[in-house]
Amino acid sequence: MPSNQQILLDNRPQGEAATSNFKWVTTDTPALKDGEVLVRHHYLSLDPYMRGRMNDSKSYAASQPLGEVMIGGTVGEVAESRHPKFAVGDKVVGMGGWQQYSVVDGNAPGMLRKVDTTHVPLSHYLGAVGMPGVTAWYGLVRIIAPKAGETVVVSAATGAVGSAFAALAKARGCRVVGIAGGPDKCKYATEELGFDACIDHREHGDLKSMSKALKEACPNGIDGHFENVGGYILDAVLLRANAFARVAVCGMIAGYDGQPLPLQNPALILVNRMKIEGFIVSEHMEIWPEALKELGTLVGSGKLRPRETVAEGLAAAPEAFLGLLKGKNFGKQLVKLV
Ligand SMILES: NC(=O)c1ccc[n+]([C@@H]2O[C@H](COP(=O)([O-])OP(=O)(O)OC[C@H]3O[C@@H](n4cnc5c(N)ncnc54)[C@H](OP(=O)(O)O)[C@@H]3O)[C@@H](O)[C@H]2O)c1
């Protein structure tokens, strides 16, 4: 059995996460038992939720135990199999973690899924045609539920979730406005992702300026908002929201290092008679097949062309992850392992 390089969570961050929170080890992969599959990971997904798991505080999910392999989505191929449904060479998606190989119980529900790479590249199963894409689908379709002609806004617009959101919202006839960090990301949003307008939050770094920019980009007000960031961006959206606007609260990345994110004027929720709903995509497994089908079609037909930032080799994962939390990624952040 091959040796396996792994990254463990060694200690918990105090404030900002750091590379010293992680530890690199090499172990032997154990011999397979009946029903098990050895997966060689091609790509590891880096996602903002991992920052929350590094803390030992109350959350919707259990925290990452110290001394264990960091949690993470992976795509790869079956390297050895003692399960009748998985053959060597099958392409699979799972939760293999920050390591080169994983041994998976092929009978455990939802732990390993075969994927078809004829029209969709393997890596996209960690992004647009995977958990981030389904996240965009749930917030847009089930919470915002837009009508054609309505205006919807998304923050972290060019990331894995935001870029899928744009394609899904355009397919429903919406005006789609993004908020992203920097002129390059905004140019990409309007020229390649199909956004009707994009606001650079670095150029509009306070409530007054962001609210003015939203007024210009959303002349008919905001009917739906998909929140990935929190803070003054959400305050500005509330100021420009129409009556009966809906907000899908997906992420609050501006506060993931522990910064408080107070809401300046919650009375606007009442004034605008708004619906504001948080959600966790893994709690809505019933919608995944429908969402993945639509996302796969959008990618296969070229209507959604997701961009990826790829770090090379497992050792690059901690730095790439810290960069993701600071907006250094452009599109889906991955680590290439083979
Ligand atoms: N609820 C769920 O089930 C669920 C599932 C998946 C993801 N999420 C959430 O969805 C959001 C997007 O995830 P993703 O995987 O698509 O990541 P991503 O957008 O690819 O990467 C994170 C982006 O967040 C932005 N950002 C970081 N810090 C920021 C700050 N202080 N202010 C403004 N923007 C900041 C950066 O974009 P800019 O440079 O453009 O600012 C960065 O590129 C995250 O909040 C994540 O936690 C939630």
Side-chain angles (χ1 to χ4, degrees), residues 13-172:
Q14 309 294 324
E16 272 192 29
T19 52
S20 57
N21 298 133
F22 303 99
K23 186 177 169 187
W24 169 275
V25 296
T26 304
T27 58
D28 291 327
T29 43
L32 295 187
K33 298 195 216 64
D34 273 347
E36 287 184 339
V37 176
L38 177 70
V39 181
R40 184 180 189 203
H41 303 151
H42 289 204
Y43 290 95
L44 162 69
S45 174
L46 295 178
D47 296 271
Y49 76 82
M50 294 165 173
R51 177 63 189 85
R53 300 288 177 93
M54 292 170 78
N55 293 343
D56 191 12
S57 52
K58 183 180 176 289
S59 184
Y60 57 86
S63 52
Q64 158 83 42
L66 291 178
E68 288 190 11
V69 175
M70 272 294 292
I71 186 175
T74 45
V75 287
E77 68 180 299
V78 173
E80 245 186 270
S81 177
R82 289 189 63 181
H83 193 288
K85 287 199 180 138
F86 294 96
V88 170
D90 281 350
K91 299 290 187 293
V92 287
V93 56
M95 290 294 291
W98 294 29
Q99 55 184 340
Q100 292 176 302
Y101 291 90
S102 58
V103 173
V104 186
D105 175 358
N107 292 317
M111 288 307 284
L112 203 59
R113 188 164 53 90
K114 279 198 250 186
V115 291
D116 181 356
T117 53
T118 318
H119 302 294
V120 175
L122 184 61
S123 59
H124 287 2
Y125 286 101
L126 294 174
V129 193
M131 183 277 283
V134 179
T135 301
W137 193 99
Y138 186 85
L140 177 73
V141 178
R142 288 296 161 90
I143 298 178
I144 296 174
K147 295 187 201 74
E150 287 193 328
T151 299
V152 295
V153 175
V154 60
S155 49
T158 62
V161 175
S163 51
F165 180 91
L168 293 165
K170 284 313 291 179
R172 285 160 179 77

Side-chain angles (χ1 to χ4, degrees), residues 190-249:
T190 51
E191 291 184 1
E192 289 184 52
L193 290 175
F195 281 94
D196 295 289
C198 183
I199 300 166
D200 178 356
H201 66 75
R202 294 198 199 143
E203 201 183 310
H204 302 282
D206 59 56
L207 176 56
K208 199 172 163 205
S209 174
M210 177 57 71
S211 164
K212 190 164 170 280
L214 278 170
K215 190 177 182 186
E216 278 162 26
C218 308
N220 298 324
I222 298 170
D223 302 296
H225 175 59
F226 192 101
E227 184 56 84
N228 282 324
V229 172
Y232 78 99
I233 290 179
L234 183 53
D235 285 321
V237 167
L238 294 190
L239 278 172
R240 297 290 160 211
N242 290 330
F244 306 107
R246 293 81 63 195
V247 177
V249 182

Side-chain angles (χ1 to χ4, degrees), residues 46-49 60 131-132 135 155-162 179-182 185 201-202 226-230 233 249-256 279-282 323-333:
L46 295 178
D47 296 271
Y49 76 82
Y60 57 86
M131 183 277 283
T135 301
S155 49
T158 62
V161 175
I179 299 170
K185 285 188 178 180
H201 66 75
R202 294 198 199 143
F226 192 101
E227 184 56 84
N228 282 324
V229 172
I233 290 179
V249 182
C250 172
M252 291 267 168
I253 197 166
Y256 286 3
F279 72 101
I280 298 300
V281 70
S282 54
L324 166 78
L325 296 175
K326 296 200 178 304
K328 289 186 185 159
N329 63 308
F330 205 134
K332 174 69 203 163
Q333 179 68 57

